[in-house]
Short mmCIF file of all heavy atoms in Angstrom, two decimals:
data_model
loop_
_atom_site.label_atom_id
_atom_site.label_comp_id
_atom_site.label_asym_id
_atom_site.label_seq_id
_atom_site.Cartn_x
_atom_site.Cartn_y
_atom_site.Cartn_z
N TYR W 288 -21.10 5.51 23.02
CA TYR W 288 -20.01 4.73 22.43
C TYR W 288 -20.52 3.40 21.89
O TYR W 288 -20.18 3.02 20.76
CB TYR W 288 -18.90 4.50 23.46
CG TYR W 288 -17.89 3.45 23.04
CD1 TYR W 288 -16.84 3.78 22.18
CD2 TYR W 288 -18.00 2.13 23.48
CE1 TYR W 288 -15.92 2.82 21.79
CE2 TYR W 288 -17.09 1.17 23.08
CZ TYR W 288 -16.06 1.51 22.24
OH TYR W 288 -15.16 0.55 21.83
N PHE W 289 -21.32 2.71 22.68
CA PHE W 289 -21.79 1.39 22.25
C PHE W 289 -22.70 1.48 21.03
O PHE W 289 -22.64 0.64 20.13
CB PHE W 289 -22.50 0.68 23.41
CG PHE W 289 -21.56 0.20 24.47
CD1 PHE W 289 -21.37 0.93 25.64
CD2 PHE W 289 -20.86 -0.98 24.31
CE1 PHE W 289 -20.51 0.50 26.62
CE2 PHE W 289 -19.98 -1.44 25.29
CZ PHE W 289 -19.80 -0.69 26.45
N ILE W 290 -23.53 2.51 21.00
CA ILE W 290 -24.46 2.64 19.87
C ILE W 290 -23.75 3.06 18.60
O ILE W 290 -23.94 2.45 17.53
CB ILE W 290 -25.57 3.65 20.22
CG1 ILE W 290 -26.45 3.10 21.35
CG2 ILE W 290 -26.42 3.95 18.99
CD1 ILE W 290 -27.49 4.10 21.86
N ILE W 291 -22.91 4.10 18.70
CA ILE W 291 -22.31 4.68 17.49
C ILE W 291 -20.98 4.01 17.14
O ILE W 291 -20.80 3.55 16.00
CB ILE W 291 -22.12 6.19 17.66
CG1 ILE W 291 -23.47 6.86 17.93
CG2 ILE W 291 -21.47 6.79 16.41
CD1 ILE W 291 -23.39 8.36 18.13
N SER W 292 -20.05 3.95 18.09
CA SER W 292 -18.74 3.38 17.78
C SER W 292 -18.85 1.89 17.47
O SER W 292 -18.30 1.41 16.47
CB SER W 292 -17.77 3.61 18.94
OG SER W 292 -17.44 4.97 19.08
N CYS W 293 -19.52 1.16 18.34
CA CYS W 293 -19.63 -0.29 18.14
C CYS W 293 -20.68 -0.64 17.10
O CYS W 293 -20.38 -1.31 16.10
CB CYS W 293 -19.96 -0.98 19.47
SG CYS W 293 -18.74 -0.71 20.76
N GLY W 294 -21.89 -0.17 17.32
CA GLY W 294 -22.97 -0.52 16.39
C GLY W 294 -22.79 0.10 15.02
O GLY W 294 -22.97 -0.58 13.99
N GLY W 295 -22.42 1.37 14.98
CA GLY W 295 -22.26 2.05 13.69
C GLY W 295 -21.15 1.47 12.85
O GLY W 295 -21.32 1.25 11.64
N SER W 296 -19.98 1.23 13.45
CA SER W 296 -18.86 0.68 12.68
C SER W 296 -19.15 -0.74 12.21
O SER W 296 -18.79 -1.11 11.09
CB SER W 296 -17.57 0.73 13.51
OG SER W 296 -17.69 -0.07 14.68
N ALA W 297 -19.80 -1.54 13.06
CA ALA W 297 -20.13 -2.91 12.67
C ALA W 297 -21.12 -2.93 11.51
O ALA W 297 -20.95 -3.69 10.54
CB ALA W 297 -20.70 -3.67 13.87
N ALA W 298 -22.14 -2.08 11.58
CA ALA W 298 -23.13 -2.02 10.51
C ALA W 298 -22.48 -1.54 9.21
O ALA W 298 -22.74 -2.09 8.12
CB ALA W 298 -24.27 -1.09 10.90
N ALA W 299 -21.64 -0.52 9.31
CA ALA W 299 -20.98 0.01 8.12
C ALA W 299 -20.09 -1.05 7.47
O ALA W 299 -20.13 -1.24 6.24
CB ALA W 299 -20.15 1.24 8.48
N LEU W 300 -19.31 -1.74 8.28
CA LEU W 300 -18.44 -2.78 7.73
C LEU W 300 -19.24 -3.90 7.08
O LEU W 300 -18.90 -4.38 6.00
CB LEU W 300 -17.54 -3.35 8.82
CG LEU W 300 -16.16 -2.70 8.99
CD1 LEU W 300 -15.42 -3.35 10.14
CD2 LEU W 300 -15.35 -2.81 7.71
N GLY W 301 -20.31 -4.31 7.75
CA GLY W 301 -21.14 -5.39 7.20
C GLY W 301 -21.71 -5.02 5.85
O GLY W 301 -21.67 -5.83 4.90
N ILE W 302 -22.24 -3.83 5.74
CA ILE W 302 -22.84 -3.38 4.47
C ILE W 302 -21.78 -3.24 3.39
O ILE W 302 -21.96 -3.68 2.25
CB ILE W 302 -23.59 -2.05 4.67
CG1 ILE W 302 -24.80 -2.26 5.59
CG2 ILE W 302 -24.03 -1.46 3.34
CD1 ILE W 302 -25.47 -0.97 6.04
N MET W 303 -20.65 -2.65 3.75
CA MET W 303 -19.61 -2.40 2.75
C MET W 303 -18.95 -3.69 2.27
O MET W 303 -18.64 -3.83 1.08
CB MET W 303 -18.57 -1.44 3.32
CG MET W 303 -19.11 -0.05 3.58
SD MET W 303 -17.86 1.11 4.16
CE MET W 303 -16.88 1.29 2.67
N ILE W 304 -18.73 -4.63 3.17
CA ILE W 304 -18.15 -5.91 2.76
C ILE W 304 -19.10 -6.64 1.82
O ILE W 304 -18.69 -7.28 0.84
CB ILE W 304 -17.82 -6.78 3.99
CG1 ILE W 304 -16.64 -6.17 4.77
CG2 ILE W 304 -17.48 -8.22 3.58
CD1 ILE W 304 -16.37 -6.82 6.10
N THR W 305 -20.39 -6.54 2.10
CA THR W 305 -21.38 -7.18 1.22
C THR W 305 -21.40 -6.52 -0.15
O THR W 305 -21.49 -7.21 -1.18
CB THR W 305 -22.77 -7.08 1.86
OG1 THR W 305 -22.76 -7.73 3.13
CG2 THR W 305 -23.82 -7.75 0.97
N ARG W 306 -21.29 -5.21 -0.20
CA ARG W 306 -21.46 -4.47 -1.45
C ARG W 306 -20.21 -4.43 -2.32
O ARG W 306 -20.32 -4.35 -3.56
CB ARG W 306 -21.90 -3.04 -1.16
CG ARG W 306 -23.32 -2.89 -0.63
CD ARG W 306 -23.70 -1.43 -0.55
NE ARG W 306 -23.58 -0.76 -1.86
CZ ARG W 306 -23.72 0.54 -2.04
NH1 ARG W 306 -23.98 1.32 -0.99
NH2 ARG W 306 -23.59 1.07 -3.23
N VAL W 307 -19.02 -4.46 -1.75
CA VAL W 307 -17.82 -4.27 -2.54
C VAL W 307 -17.63 -5.40 -3.56
O VAL W 307 -17.87 -6.57 -3.27
CB VAL W 307 -16.57 -4.16 -1.63
CG1 VAL W 307 -16.26 -5.49 -0.93
CG2 VAL W 307 -15.37 -3.69 -2.43
N ASN W 308 -17.23 -5.02 -4.76
CA ASN W 308 -16.92 -5.99 -5.82
C ASN W 308 -15.40 -6.04 -5.95
O ASN W 308 -14.78 -5.12 -6.49
CB ASN W 308 -17.56 -5.56 -7.14
CG ASN W 308 -17.34 -6.58 -8.25
OD1 ASN W 308 -16.53 -7.50 -8.11
ND2 ASN W 308 -18.04 -6.42 -9.36
N LEU W 309 -14.81 -7.12 -5.48
CA LEU W 309 -13.36 -7.21 -5.44
C LEU W 309 -12.73 -7.33 -6.81
O LEU W 309 -11.51 -7.16 -6.96
CB LEU W 309 -12.94 -8.40 -4.57
CG LEU W 309 -13.37 -8.33 -3.10
CD1 LEU W 309 -13.02 -9.62 -2.37
CD2 LEU W 309 -12.72 -7.14 -2.41
N ARG W 310 -13.53 -7.59 -7.82
CA ARG W 310 -13.01 -7.69 -9.18
C ARG W 310 -12.99 -6.33 -9.88
O ARG W 310 -12.46 -6.21 -10.99
CB ARG W 310 -13.86 -8.67 -10.00
CG ARG W 310 -13.81 -10.10 -9.46
CD ARG W 310 -14.79 -10.99 -10.23
NE ARG W 310 -14.83 -12.33 -9.65
CZ ARG W 310 -14.13 -13.37 -10.10
NH1 ARG W 310 -13.34 -13.19 -11.15
NH2 ARG W 310 -14.20 -14.54 -9.53
N GLU W 311 -13.58 -5.33 -9.24
CA GLU W 311 -13.65 -4.00 -9.83
C GLU W 311 -12.76 -3.04 -9.03
O GLU W 311 -13.05 -2.74 -7.87
CB GLU W 311 -15.09 -3.47 -9.83
CG GLU W 311 -16.01 -4.21 -10.78
CD GLU W 311 -15.66 -3.94 -12.24
OE1 GLU W 311 -15.05 -2.87 -12.50
OE2 GLU W 311 -15.97 -4.78 -13.09
N PRO W 312 -11.66 -2.55 -9.62
CA PRO W 312 -10.77 -1.63 -8.90
C PRO W 312 -11.49 -0.41 -8.33
O PRO W 312 -11.19 0.02 -7.21
CB PRO W 312 -9.75 -1.23 -9.97
CG PRO W 312 -9.71 -2.40 -10.90
CD PRO W 312 -11.13 -2.91 -10.95
#
Side-chain angles (χ1 to χ4, degrees):
Y288 167 82
F289 287 99
I290 294 174
I291 301 179
S292 292
C293 300
S296 63
L300 267 178
I302 294 170
M303 294 183 70
I304 291 171
T305 300
R306 290 187 57 187
V307 68
N308 184 348
L309 298 175
R310 297 174 184 263
E311 291 291 336

